[in-house]
Amino acid sequence: FTITVPVNPEPVGTNSVTVEVCSDVAFSFNPQAYVTNGVASTFTWTVVYDGGINVVSGGTGIGPIAATLNNVSGGTLNAVYTVTATSGSICAGNTFTVTVPVKSEPLGVTLTAAAICSDASPAYDLQNNVNTGSGNSIASTFSWVAADNPDVTGESTTPVVGSFITDVLVNVTGSTQTVMYTVTPTGTNGCTGNTFQVSIPVDSKPVGIASTEAAVCSDASFTFNPQDNVDDGNDLVSTFSWTRTLPSGLTEKIGGGGTGSGSITETLENLTSTVLNAVYTVTPTSGGCVGNTFTITVPVNPEPVGTNSV
């Protein structure tokens, strides 16, 4: 007589490497795809991570493999899954491994940059941010956008693509203002990193208000302090340089030859028959920040001119 013994096949898996995935991007796969003899199976698995991988989410060790893994190491790290396949409920095959390479995302550092003057660009290097400090040096491209500061103009409140923050920021408030940029880095490996913030302090420039002073007499010394004009603007304590223009008929008797610094002190002579204006163009500077020029107009009354007669 015969005894027939049916022998169920065991599943045969092959050690494999999946397509690379990015840090913080969910992936999943069915180990059935790696069973080379086609035996329908159920699966259990364990996993070992390279140092530097953080588990954002992961499976239970049964069935399909699905996870989200974080890698900010600057290089590719592996998650190695050791899989046991069982056909039906009784025939377990030899274990096999499936390796998942996890590419690093770029890592930037939230910080406050060096202050700039009003009317200047920070020209802040975003790649340098990723390359230094607590960053991970992955070559990247960047998108950046500013949060609106109502006391500053010039900030980009819609996203801009570029490796430098290039806005020209204007602050005339009389105090330092800060513009905060949110930056999104994307590595040249295709992986997008977490956003980080770069805050740019913007020092105010002085603002002077143009004025026309009370008329002075020909041949009489006068002094005007441009700080008074800035006090009418935004009150920043400033230093000053100035140049002067004179119309025909108005001449300098005592002065700086048409240029000077600090207060304006001069004596001008007007021998015409009408009031003539001396116009001083003043440049204010406060804390190294140069403000826009403004004018101080000084009307000079004519003096009477007599002639020796008999």
Side-chain angles (χ1 to χ4, degrees), residues 108-123:
V109 182
T110 292
L111 51 73
T112 298
I116 63 170
C117 282
S118 175
D119 293 10
S121 169

Side-chain angles (χ1 to χ4, degrees), residues 288-307:
C289 296
V290 179
N292 296 339
T293 60
F294 59 93
T295 59
I296 298 176
T297 301
V298 181
V300 182
N301 287 325
E303 63 179 277
V305 179
T307 179

Side-chain angles (χ1 to χ4, degrees), residues 22 30 40 55 71 74 142 154 187 196 199 212 214 222 233 242 257 262 268 291 297 300:
C22 279
N30 187 346
V55 180
N71 172 16
F142 302 89
F196 60 95
S199 295
T212 299
F222 60 84
W242 49 265
L268 302 177
T297 301
V300 182

Side-chain angles (χ1 to χ4, degrees), residues 200-263:
I200 308 292
V202 185
D203 292 335
S204 177
K205 64 178 177 181
V207 175
I209 304 300
S211 64
T212 299
E213 305 299 331
V216 301
C217 287
S218 173
D219 286 354
S221 176
F222 60 84
T223 298
F224 295 103
N225 185 354
Q227 184 63 48
D228 295 336
N229 297 67
V230 175
D231 290 343
D232 291 335
N234 62 3
D235 291 320
L236 278 179
V237 176
S238 304
T239 59
F240 304 92
S241 63
W242 49 265
T243 60
R244 182 202 64 211
T245 57
L246 298 178
S248 177
L250 190 59
T251 58
E252 175 189 305
K253 289 194 72 174
I254 300 174
T259 62
S261 59
S263 293

